Amino acid sequence: MADREFGFETQCLHAGQLPDAATGARAAPIYQTTSYVFDSTDHAASLFNLQTFGNVYSRMMNPTNAMLEERLATLEGGRAGLVVGSGMAAQMVALLTLLESGDELVSASTLYGGTYSQFDYSFRRMGINTHFVDPDDPENFAKAITPATKAVYAETIGNPLNNVLDISAVAKIAHDAGVPLVIDNTFGTPYLCRPFEHGADIVVHSVTKWIGGHGSSIGGAVIESGKFPWDNGKFPGMTEPSKGYHGIRFYETFGDFGFVTKARMETLRTLGPSMSPLSAFLFLQGLETLPLRMDRHCTNTLAVARFLDDHPLVSWVKYAGLPDNPYHQLAQKYLPKGAGGVLTFGIRGGQAAGIRFIESAQFLSHLANVGDAKTLVIHPASTTHRQLNEEEQASAGVSPDMVRMSVGLETLDDILWDIEQALAKSQES
Amino acid sequence: MSTDIETLRRILGASQVIAVVGLSANWWRPSYFAAKYMQDHGYRIIPVNPNYKEILGERCYPSLEDIPDDINIDIVDVFQRAELAPPLAHSAVAIGAKIFWLQLGIVNDEAADIARQGGLGVVMDYCVKIEHGRLMGGLNLFGVSTGVISAKRPKWLVY
Ligand SMILES: Cc1ncc(COP(=O)(O)O)c(C=O)c1O
């Protein structure tokens, strides 16, 4: 009898987590330990050689983290996953597993500000050059690819521009050049969009956001599809004996989970940005309700977008769920269940009115995060994208009058009420 | 052809002796990884490779037919190019093995038919180590999506 293909909601609750073998505990145990005893020196050697699966040290692996890794990999429709200490660490671990000094990255310019800085500042210091391109025309990626390019990078929905990527078009361009497409699916979540189904090869997440949904922990994840042909000649690090790990050939030995294993045993092991098992437990709790929360985030966000769109004090609204949004077509293709939980808008009165709006809100929280169950607001030009100059801000889609809102799960009428009263106050001087 | 979880569990649970055809003595080769893992998990490994005398502390035989009759082979596990599989399927039938297993990446329908006609169970294009780790625990510790969904307490401990 063929194995049942379980639905997304079932996998949110069960994937990666059987009852605990030792105790029968049904909830995920928090394995708060750094290390694991070896049965013998031979057992230890097998573990270090990766000849047997098992735990050595929690910088690389931990049973609670492993449950989250398997659950995320399953939800994305991928082969294997790795969790790390933050979304930034996830991008770093994924990309430093692929690129070394002298290699190049081609990335969408419309990125979370911290990501832009990671590529533009930190990676350049390591000799890895990023070419930033306008992602609206996929051909721009093709034009920027050189023989030194080792990966193409973009966000499903750009933060904060709210632009939707034509994933399959960019995937084709990456594959024509023999390199993987890495997608930051933080704003999509696997409930709204599964980039692997559209040709992406590696997905990274800031699980800090909707995956957790509680705004209580920082974390990230790297997931591989298991389908990229690493033996195409461009990735000797996957096919040749590893200098970083006992001469193992990761692709030959681990096949369709070779990339994640290399990321774990070389990059995470030597750079060290691990996730705490307590955080992993909290993210597992969050994932249990991901579908319910995302449905509500999307309906609330669309309702807020419509409300703002009709409001005389609002000059523009960007949300791909609105039919007249330039990304609406792409959103219908890639995000059919909803265009996500974030919108941006401009207030009449520019920067000063934007700041007064944010400071006048009663329960809309003014902070630098998205994807909390609570509604969050921020003025990107003066906060998240402050490190960028005006030109870079514009290229990342940030204008001085822009307010970004991550719409939460409060009573919709209350959210609209708070927006209305804060908009009114934004016009007072 | 994909093999369902119940069938794989039954095969791995009922088998004790695995003849590994094409086993390498080099510790970093996938065949050695798989055989060492299975040996560590209680299976007896019978190496089959004309180039070696002994691997993993077990005597190595040049061919399946050279394995003495008093060793009952449950699984013939093949690490060879796909085109070499049909004669190995005949040999697996001849020595009375129960399962003919072609490793990950090895697909040969003719060999599978030979083995099935000879009364053997067939697993094709799977790694014996990965499937053991997937279904008896271990692979999940490496973040791999196992496809296992269950509310029954596992009766094994990972080691
Ligand atoms: C799209 C996106 N990617 C990555 C990150 C970085 O994640 P973290 O804050 O978990 O390091 C963020 C955080 O704001 C984000 O919005």
Side-chain angles (χ1 to χ4, degrees), chain A residues 62-383:
Chain A
N62 171 282
T64 312
N65 295 24
M67 292 178 205
L68 178 60
E69 291 169 342
E70 182 177 349
R71 185 165 301 173
L72 285 168
T74 305
L75 293 176
E76 282 288 2
R79 177 60 170 153
L82 174 65
V83 296
V84 293
S86 68
M88 296 300 290
Q91 300 159 192
M92 176 188 77
V93 166
L95 293 170
L96 293 187
T97 303
L98 288 171
L99 293 100
E100 57 187 47
S101 179
D103 290 342
E104 294 179 359
L105 177 66
V106 173
S107 173
S109 60
T110 51
L111 294 171
Y112 162 60
T115 306
Y116 195 99
S117 301
Q118 182 180 69
F119 297 171
D120 197 40
Y121 175 68
S122 301
F123 280 8
R124 271 193 226 290
R125 286 178 62 207
M126 302 174 187
I128 295 168
N129 265 326
T130 299
H131 298 282
F132 292 103
V133 302
D134 175 355
D136 278 356
D137 182 358
E139 277 309 308
N140 291 339
F141 289 92
K143 287 184 201 137
I145 289 175
T146 74
T149 304
K150 289 292 168 62
V152 172
Y153 189 95
E155 296 175 356
T156 311
I157 304 176
N159 176 10
L161 188 64
N162 253 316
N163 54 315
V164 180
L165 185 76
D166 189 346
I167 300 174
S168 58
V170 180
K172 180 164 186 317
I173 286 165
H175 296 164
D176 286 347
V179 301
L181 173 62
V182 184
I183 292 288
D184 178 340
N185 195 31
T186 301
F187 274 48
T189 81
Y191 179 67
L192 300 180
C193 177
R194 305 216 292 177
F196 293 149
E197 290 171 358
H198 307 291
D201 305 286
I202 295 166
V203 162
V204 295
H205 275 281
S206 167
V207 298
T208 312
K209 320 296 183 198
W210 293 269
I211 298 284
H214 33 54
S216 71
S217 315
I218 302 280
V222 180
I223 301 151
E224 78 173 304
S225 70
K227 304 212 172 86
F228 190 80
W230 298 108
D231 54 359
N232 68 1
K234 288 190 85 93
F235 298 94
M238 287 294 297
T239 53
E240 297 304 310
S242 160
K243 293 194 195 81
Y245 207 82
H246 301 298
I248 278 181
R249 298 169 196 256
F250 282 99
Y251 193 39
E252 180 187 72
T253 308
F254 297 103
D256 57 7
F257 57 102
F259 174 78
V260 155
T261 307
K262 181 177 163 75
R264 182 190 304 280
M265 299 315 295
E266 283 186 1
T267 319
L268 177 60
R269 184 176 64 89
T270 63
L271 297 179
S274 313
M275 178 185 284
S276 130
L278 176 58
S279 300
F281 169 80
L282 293 166
F283 292 124
L284 284 164
Q285 298 307 294
L287 274 177
E288 294 196 341
T289 56
L290 181 72
L292 296 171
R293 289 185 291 107
M294 290 318 292
D295 277 338
R296 185 62 65 86
H297 277 298
C298 288
T299 52
N300 280 1
T301 309
L302 184 59
V304 170
R306 289 200 175 114
F307 173 83
L308 292 170
D309 211 25
D310 290 340
H311 203 287
L313 295 177
V314 172
S315 32
W316 54 267
V317 181
K318 286 191 179 136
Y319 183 60
L322 291 175
D324 59 353
N325 183 277
Y327 300 100
H328 190 62
Q329 274 325 68
L330 286 171
Q332 287 196 307
K333 172 171 178 191
Y334 292 108
L335 303 146
K337 295 201 198 88
V342 172
L343 57 77
T344 57
F345 63 100
I347 297 186
R348 288 200 199 283
Q351 174 143 355
I355 288 171
R356 274 198 300 275
F357 169 82
I358 281 173
E359 292 179 347
S360 305
Q362 182 167 327
F363 70 84
L364 311 179
S365 307
H366 178 202
L367 54 76
N369 192 20
V370 292
D372 197 319
K374 301 180 177 74
T375 298
L376 316 175
V377 286
I378 199 159
H379 180 239
S382 61
T383 54

Side-chain angles (χ1 to χ4, degrees), chain B residues 48-60:
Chain B
V48 178
N49 187 333
N51 301 321
Y52 302 103
K53 292 232 148 19
E54 192 189 294
I55 304 175
L56 287 166
E58 289 280 359
R59 176 150 174 216
C60 187

